Amino acid sequence: MEPERARTGGLPKKGRKRRRAPNKLVGAAEAMRARWELEERRPGAKKARLSTILFAENYEVTHGQLCELLKYAVLGKSSVPKPSWCQLFHQNQLNNVVIFVLQGMSQLHFYRFYLEFGFLRKAFRHKFRLPPPSSDFLADITGLQKKQTTGAPSKMMEGSLPSASSNVSVNLQNDPIIQKYGSKKVGLTRCLLTKEEMKTFHFPLQGFPDCENFVPTKCNGSITDSSPLFGLDCEMCLTSKGRELTRISLVAEGGCCVMDELVKPDNKILDYLTSFSGITKKILNPVTTKLKDVQRQLKALLPPDAVLVGHSLDFDLKALKMIHPYVIDTSLLYVREQGRRFKLKFLAKAILGKDIQCPDRLGHDATEDARTTLELARYFLKYGPKKIAELNLEALASHQELQTAVQEPRNTTEVVQQLNTSVLECLDSMGQKFLFLTREADASELSSSRNCQTIKCLSNKEVLEQARMEIPLFPFSIVQFSFETFSPSLTEEMNKRMRIKWTEMSTVYAGPFSKNCNLRALKRLFKSFGPVQSMTLVLETHQPHLCIQYEVLEAAQLAIESLDGILVDGICIKVQRPVTELTLDCNTLVNELEQDSENQGTIYLSGVSEAFKEQLLQQSNVFFGLEAVILPKDLKSGKQKKYSFLKFKTFGSAHRALNILTGKDWKLKGRHALTPRHLHTWLRGLPPESRRPLGLRVIPPPLEQQALQSLRKNVAAPPKMSREYSG
């Protein structure tokens, strides 16, 4: 039964020497981007390939981000910045870019008829969620609706703010700052983060998990628009316990620095993060001030109605291990589109006309950063949201990204123009046409583009036949298939059945067990394979059984593979899924999920500790090809769960890592992944439905049978050339 294995954590054995991770491998994002740069320089056979690292929990890609990728695929890095959310290797090796649109279909259709979509799930390695489409989805993803004035950004980025008579054309009503604050000036209290916002953006709060040992500032006075502002900035290093405080700066409203302290961390320092913090071993060696000293000092300095101002202030408060209820976060005050945030360096230049965090200086100046956040808050209060919106910060940020991406300054004007044009207009400027294949009944703005070769067909089958012939002739193609949408009642019924199916697939029955079995040891054993939703003792049988419902499919499959047929207290137990109408094809479905190209390079691990990511990155040289570390969190408590998904570049790299991590040094349990993260999110979003009694007979409704027949009739096997030409 091996109950001891359930208690082991994800730590390597003591005594084994570790290579210290370089600065670039401090965080997951830095680690992945460092590898991307290495990948670009590595010699060998070059082939266009997409590698992704998404920071969104639900793996959702916006229409704007998709447009970013398409534009880069068409134009290359000499003309536009690289996409912010993914990396396209060897773009110049791309022959064709093809977009297939299955209009009227969704994730529900894909997973309900998963076994029918054999080619789609094997040919396309990356699958992401998209937000609900607008009236013209194709115009959104190709950038046709984004018309921004060019030319002005270069003047504004010199440090002077545009006057009211500037030629920059901005739709103020659509600006996120206007949408949040309105166009009139606001008071200080309106700029404070609400408790709900602090919860959403993971600020430390009283009574919340992981904040038990945090110290409150005791600022509980009544806040008014005249309450004092204090700019706060902290610098951190990486220790054996994670990020810890090394410097704190507090600036009062007049610009005077009232506190600037170096702090000696309690734990062993692994990386001083000098390039960001400016802190070195030599600087910190003589320091005796500890975290508790600055906590005491900060509490004494702040008046009862003090408002703290900072940029991404949640990280500073977590480093201080302090709770403060009244905060203005400039990264959230200056609202950006699609939940993104402006960098402090950018806001300082665009709003205040000052340069901070200069590259010729070692690290950041915490006092300078604290003073800058204070000035930004005062500017917002003085001039109001309308003035900020008129600056068109989004266009300025895009221009700054371009200046970084462009090698030769003389190309800047041309590049700015290309950034603000659609993918289709970019093709036109290069003298290239694009192909648009669709059905007669479907209308789109694309057909009116002068460089568009539109072919309208009578059926999906004809669209497919034309695609086989025409796609090789065009550098950029959009192929649109159309399907009738399901009725709301059928969609609701299918959603319920899908929820039940995945619940039953993630449930196992185990037994028989001895009537004197050690229940505590059994529970510990089954929990070692992954997160458990519920565990029930079944006493309807002659000997007891257990019913375990897991949160993820991988955990259930791992329990079956590890425990089915083993001896427990001298009794051979069987571990299996319930047999119902919805699980009859379960083994086939599990095999196909494992072969899904999206899961090929991903492994599932159970038993990981909170320090797992840091330990993994410290030994990054062992795990070649690692692209992303996914550590799910509990939605209510915010705590990291005890399982993880690791995404690798190839199946071979993933398989080698799995052997190491389930070996004697790490002692984790794991297998190859079966379910991508976006599927987990989608299942969570389905309407709640209690699991039906097992064995209840379910007959597919006639409408669903008709839908399946219609799908089989309309969808022919896509040609293998799609793999060759798709970007």
Side-chain angles (χ1 to χ4, degrees), residues 56 72 124 174 199 213 269 291 355 432 515 614 618:
Y72 181 74
F124 298 101
N174 292 334
K199 181 179 176 182
N213 300 320
I269 298 175
L291 178 63
D355 293 304
Q432 294 181 336
K515 293 180 179 179
E614 282 75 15
Q618 286 163 19

Side-chain angles (χ1 to χ4, degrees), residues 557-575:
Q557 188 65 22
L558 193 55
I560 293 170
E561 293 166 349
S562 305
L563 301 180
D564 187 36
I566 69 165
L567 289 175
V568 177
D569 298 330
I571 301 174
C572 180
I573 67 166
K574 195 162 186 64
V575 182

Side-chain angles (χ1 to χ4, degrees), residues 90-344:
H90 311 307
Q91 174 274 339
N92 59 351
Q93 299 297 312
L94 273 177
N95 294 323
N96 307 69
V97 176
V98 184
I99 303 174
F100 288 101
V101 179
L102 306 182
Q103 192 171 16
M105 304 203 73
S106 67
Q107 274 185 293
L108 171 62
H109 307 85
F110 182 75
Y111 284 108
R112 175 62 186 89
F113 303 115
Y114 183 81
L115 296 177
E116 308 292 325
F117 288 111
F119 184 82
L120 281 182
R121 53 190 161 82
K122 289 186 170 119
F124 298 101
R125 185 180 176 213
H126 303 286
K127 304 179 188 76
F128 304 114
R129 290 163 55 91
L130 283 170
S134 66
S135 56
D136 198 337
F137 169 71
L138 291 176
D140 285 345
I141 64 169
T142 55
L144 269 183
Q145 294 175 350
K146 293 182 179 179
K147 302 291 184 183
Q148 294 177 343
T149 303
T150 61
S154 59
K155 294 179 183 177
M156 287 184 274
M157 286 306 294
E158 290 171 4
S160 59
L161 293 171
S163 64
S165 60
S166 170
N167 292 326
V168 180
S169 173
V170 187
N171 187 345
L172 295 184
Q173 294 309 310
N174 292 334
D175 191 286
I177 291 180
I178 298 295
Q179 289 179 348
K180 180 172 181 179
Y181 298 103
S183 57
K184 295 181 179 179
K185 291 183 182 181
V186 295
L188 183 152
T189 53
R190 179 68 179 84
C191 298
L192 295 175
L193 289 182
T194 65
K195 187 172 181 180
E196 279 304 309
E197 286 175 321
M198 293 179 76
K199 181 179 176 182
T200 300
F201 295 109
H202 309 296
F203 276 76
L205 292 169
Q206 198 86 40
F208 273 61
D210 298 330
C211 298
E212 294 89 351
N213 300 320
F214 279 42
V215 177
T217 57
K218 299 297 183 186
C219 292
N220 50 13
S222 179
I223 297 294
T224 69
D225 287 343
S226 302
S227 293
L229 300 176
F230 291 86
L232 175 70
D233 188 65
C234 295
E235 301 297 342
M236 282 80 86
C237 68
L238 185 68
T239 72
S240 56
K241 294 292 184 180
R243 291 180 184 263
E244 291 192 51
L245 185 71
T246 52
R247 183 183 175 186
I248 172 177
S249 289
L250 188 73
V251 176
E253 206 159 346
C256 176
C257 182
V258 293
M259 182 179 179
D260 188 16
E261 293 283 350
L262 291 169
V263 185
K264 178 71 72 72
D266 293 327
N267 298 290
K268 183 181 178 182
I269 298 175
L270 302 177
D271 197 320
Y272 286 87
L273 307 183
T274 307
S275 60
F276 300 104
S277 67
I279 305 294
T280 62
K281 183 177 181 180
K282 184 178 180 181
I283 292 173
L284 215 54
N285 264 346
V287 175
T288 57
T289 304
K290 290 288 191 177
L291 178 63
K292 61 183 179 181
D293 300 320
V294 296
Q295 288 174 337
R296 189 163 49 244
Q297 192 177 345
L298 194 60
K299 283 177 67 175
L301 276 171
L302 295 176
D305 62 340
V307 175
L308 289 180
V309 182
H311 199 80
S312 298
L313 196 55
D314 52 312
F315 290 106
D316 299 310
L317 289 172
K318 285 173 184 174
L320 282 165
K321 292 192 175 179
M322 296 189 79
I323 295 170
H324 187 78
Y326 314 125
V327 298
I328 295 175
D329 192 322
T330 49
S331 73
L332 300 169
L333 182 68
Y334 288 85
V335 191
R336 193 175 184 184
E337 293 176 354
Q338 301 166 355
R340 299 167 69 192
R341 302 194 193 189
F342 294 113
K343 292 181 180 179
L344 181 61

Side-chain angles (χ1 to χ4, degrees), residues 298-473:
L298 194 60
K299 283 177 67 175
L301 276 171
L302 295 176
D305 62 340
V307 175
L308 289 180
V309 182
H311 199 80
S312 298
L313 196 55
D314 52 312
F315 290 106
D316 299 310
L317 289 172
K318 285 173 184 174
L320 282 165
K321 292 192 175 179
M322 296 189 79
I323 295 170
H324 187 78
Y326 314 125
V327 298
I328 295 175
D329 192 322
T330 49
S331 73
L332 300 169
L333 182 68
Y334 288 85
V335 191
R336 193 175 184 184
E337 293 176 354
Q338 301 166 355
R340 299 167 69 192
R341 302 194 193 189
F342 294 113
K343 292 181 180 179
L344 181 61
K345 180 182 174 71
F346 164 76
L347 289 175
K349 183 68 174 175
I351 303 294
L352 307 173
K354 60 189 269 186
D355 293 304
I356 65 169
Q357 302 173 0
C358 299
D360 56 346
R361 191 186 299 161
L362 184 63
H364 298 177
D365 184 332
T367 303
E368 180 184 58
D369 288 356
R371 188 175 288 118
T372 301
T373 61
L374 202 53
E375 291 174 16
L376 286 168
R378 296 305 305 168
Y379 188 97
F380 194 96
L381 292 169
K382 181 177 180 180
Y383 292 103
K386 185 179 178 183
K387 178 73 172 177
I388 309 299
E390 287 172 349
L391 301 180
N392 200 359
L393 293 176
E394 197 65 47
L396 290 175
S398 298
H399 176 65
Q400 189 183 62
E401 290 166 6
L402 280 171
Q403 287 186 321
T404 304
V406 178
Q407 301 299 317
E408 298 181 10
R410 60 186 175 85
N411 290 331
T412 301
T413 304
E414 179 187 345
V415 172
V416 171
Q417 289 171 348
Q418 287 174 335
L419 178 77
N420 293 314
T421 55
S422 70
V423 179
L424 311 182
E425 289 166 330
C426 291
L427 285 166
D428 190 31
S429 68
M430 298 161 63
Q432 294 181 336
K433 283 193 169 188
F434 71 94
L435 172 68
F436 181 39
L437 268 170
T438 186
R439 288 174 59 170
E440 286 278 1
D442 299 325
S444 173
E445 278 186 50
L446 300 186
S447 301
S448 60
S449 299
R450 66 179 182 180
N451 61 325
C452 176
Q453 176 68 50
T454 303
I455 301 177
K456 293 197 172 184
C457 306
L458 296 174
S459 65
N460 285 332
K461 185 177 181 181
E462 189 181 342
V463 170
L464 182 61
E465 289 170 352
Q466 288 290 330
R468 285 192 172 115
M469 295 185 292
E470 300 290 340
I471 282 178
L473 307 177

